[in-house]
Amino acid sequence: MYSLVIFLVVFLIFVYSCISDGKEVREKAVFSKEYSMSLKGMLSIIIVIHHYSLSSLFDESVLQTFYRMIGYPCVAVFFFISGYGIAYSFKNKENYGQRFVKGKIWNIVLPYMVSTCVYFTARVAWGGGQK
């Protein structure tokens, strides 16, 4: 039952992203920033559902098998679109490389380090450290 609900929610989000602003998909530029961000958001949702379907909590169904199989190509498409956007920006924007590195440090590395420190501090505080 849950898999059907999840499938319907994902499908409705996809349909909404395709017809937002009253435009049809074929009228939008294929790799415009708006369209690629919508597509990457949709792929992200499918990837999260894929990870959920790998757990034993997901009810056994045809959709579970579908999400298990579709997750891997969705990751590949997500990385392709992201890589295309980065390559395009490097080529067409001045000093993008410097801003890219600074942005990644603040947006990815810093939260990763903070969350890792919080995790290990909590683990030691609650007695989960090595024996």
Side-chain angles (χ1 to χ4, degrees):
M1 180 64 181
Y2 291 116
S3 59
L4 182 60
V5 172
I6 290 172
F7 178 78
L8 290 174
V9 168
V10 169
F11 179 74
L12 291 174
I13 292 170
F14 177 72
V15 169
Y16 175 76
S17 69
C18 290
I19 61 172
S20 64
D21 298 332
K23 297 178 184 177
E24 294 182 18
V25 174
R26 66 179 178 270
E27 294 176 357
K28 294 182 180 180
V30 175
F31 269 64
S32 70
K33 185 172 182 175
E34 176 185 304
Y35 184 71
S36 64
M37 291 297 284
S38 297
L39 185 57
K40 286 192 324 184
M42 190 68 210
L43 291 169
S44 298
I45 292 170
I46 293 172
I47 291 166
V48 168
I49 294 170
H50 165 75
H51 285 111
Y52 181 70
S53 74
L54 294 175
S55 71
S56 60
L57 301 173
F58 206 87
D59 56 333
E60 294 292 328
S61 67
V62 173
L63 285 175
Q64 179 185 20
T65 305
F66 171 75
Y67 283 125
R68 284 184 178 177
M69 292 179 357
I70 200 71
Y72 303 109
C74 286
V75 170
V77 172
F78 180 90
F79 279 126
F80 175 80
I81 293 170
S82 297
Y84 178 84
I86 291 169
Y88 181 86
S89 295
F90 266 107
K91 182 178 179 185
N92 297 316
K93 294 181 181 178
E94 191 173 318
N95 294 328
Y96 183 75
Q98 295 172 348
R99 291 183 309 207
F100 179 78
V101 172
K102 288 178 185 176
K104 293 304 171 196
I105 288 172
W106 287 107
N107 293 332
I108 295 175
V109 175
L110 187 62
Y112 171 75
M113 297 301 280
V114 170
S115 63
T116 301
C117 289
V118 169
Y119 169 75
F120 283 115
T121 303
R123 185 174 172 187
V124 170
W126 281 295
Q130 291 185 355
K131 297 178 184 178

